[in-house]
Amino acid sequence: MSSLQYFSSVAISFTTPKYVNTPILVPRRCSFLRAATSIDEIPPNAVRRKIDQNWRGGFSLGVDLGLSRTGIAISKGYTVRPLTVLKSRGQKLDTRLLEIAEEKEVDEFIIGLPRSSDGKETIQSNKIRSVAGRLAVQAAQRGWRVYVFDEHGTSSEASDRMIVMGLSKSERQNISDAYAAVILLERYFSTQGLETEIILPKSLELQEKIKNGARVDPDFDPEKIEEYYTF
């Protein structure tokens, strides 16, 4: 069994402009490290872009987790496109998500968190948090971040958009999850990361990897942003 499975995770919500409220206990054996406590230390890409329009970083991967299918969308800057739909589950799904992140120069995952119409979390929310926590530990080994973000209504909005696009019923069924992930990422960027919640490993060593791990894309030119979306 991999040692990665022994690390657990903790969630920190970005509900205020600067500081987060959830404390992280510092084990004595790791007293030389300090737990992450500020959005300034581990901001999502939407916040980084807000602070610096010329910031050069990795892609953001939107993840719409379902019972049997997972929709994937990708974004660099504010332009979003559907990527694929995965049918794997468990560790195989984690592995595939990490492979896609490596292939597409992703440095953060935005995972849709189900909520009811009144904003409360559901039974499915707990399952999503479990997956996000497991992925966060493995992503942190590479310096990548995992966030959850409210996905309420993304599926219906994705369906409406595909109908407007003129897609047939069969086409919509095949890619609906990917378009739900598109809506998720668009909301995330349009709100500039507000209410985004980071899922942090409790290991302070892994937190340090996340804080120091944001990749810089030397080829990114903000003046030619549209050229990055000719996939």
Side-chain angles (χ1 to χ4, degrees):
M1 181 179 292
S2 169
S3 61
L4 290 178
Q5 296 176 330
Y6 290 98
F7 290 104
S8 55
S9 59
V10 63
I12 293 183
S13 179
F14 294 161
T15 56
T16 60
K18 187 174 183 180
Y19 297 101
V20 295
N21 301 316
T22 306
I24 304 175
L25 298 180
V26 182
R28 289 183 180 179
R29 67 181 180 84
C30 296
S31 58
F32 59 96
L33 295 175
R34 180 175 57 81
T37 57
S38 170
I39 191 173
D40 294 331
E41 291 180 296
I42 312 180
N45 288 347
V47 174
R48 294 173 188 267
R49 183 71 64 191
K50 176 183 177 182
I51 296 171
D52 180 7
Q53 293 295 320
N54 294 322
W55 174 77
R56 299 178 302 171
F59 284 80
S60 302
L61 202 70
V63 183
D64 179 69
L65 287 168
L67 295 177
S68 58
R69 292 154 52 99
T70 297
I72 308 296
I74 193 165
S75 170
K76 188 167 192 177
Y78 299 106
T79 304
V80 183
R81 74 173 182 95
L83 188 60
T84 189
V85 175
L86 304 176
K87 296 183 180 180
S88 53
R89 302 175 64 182
Q91 188 59 50
K92 289 184 178 179
L93 175 60
D94 297 350
T95 299
R96 187 65 189 118
L97 289 172
L98 294 168
E99 288 174 349
I100 292 174
E102 184 68 40
E103 293 167 4
K104 300 299 183 181
E105 298 183 331
V106 165
D107 64 6
E108 71 173 12
F109 299 85
I110 307 299
I111 299 178
L113 184 69
R115 294 183 186 274
S116 60
S117 57
D118 59 1
K120 295 181 179 179
E121 294 193 16
T122 66
I123 295 176
Q124 184 64 14
S125 303
N126 294 330
K127 297 179 180 179
I128 299 302
R129 285 187 176 279
S130 177
V131 175
R134 189 178 66 221
L135 180 64
V137 172
Q138 298 178 75
Q141 293 283 357
R142 300 158 171 82
W144 302 338
R145 292 152 284 123
V146 173
Y147 303 89
V148 293
F149 188 74
D150 185 5
E151 70 167 19
H152 178 70
T154 53
S155 295
S156 59
E157 188 173 337
S159 178
D160 291 342
R161 179 176 298 187
M162 289 185 292
I163 291 174
V164 172
M165 292 170 60
L167 299 180
S168 67
K169 184 177 181 180
S170 60
E171 289 174 323
R172 297 198 302 271
Q173 290 176 336
N174 290 332
I175 62 175
S176 60
D177 301 280
Y179 269 90
V182 167
I183 302 299
L184 180 74
L185 275 185
E186 289 178 346
R187 287 185 185 178
Y188 157 70
F189 278 105
S190 67
T191 61
Q192 298 180 323
L194 187 65
E195 302 297 334
T196 306
E197 182 181 328
I198 190 169
I199 307 299
L200 282 177
K202 288 185 178 179
S203 163
L204 298 188
E205 290 90 344
L206 291 183
Q207 288 185 32
E208 284 296 309
K209 284 189 176 183
I210 294 175
K211 285 190 285 188
N212 298 327
R215 73 168 77 229
V216 174
D217 180 358
D219 300 320
F220 176 56
D221 182 352
E223 298 298 324
K224 300 179 180 179
I225 187 67
E226 294 302 326
E227 295 182 10
Y228 293 92
Y229 303 100
T230 55
F231 295 93

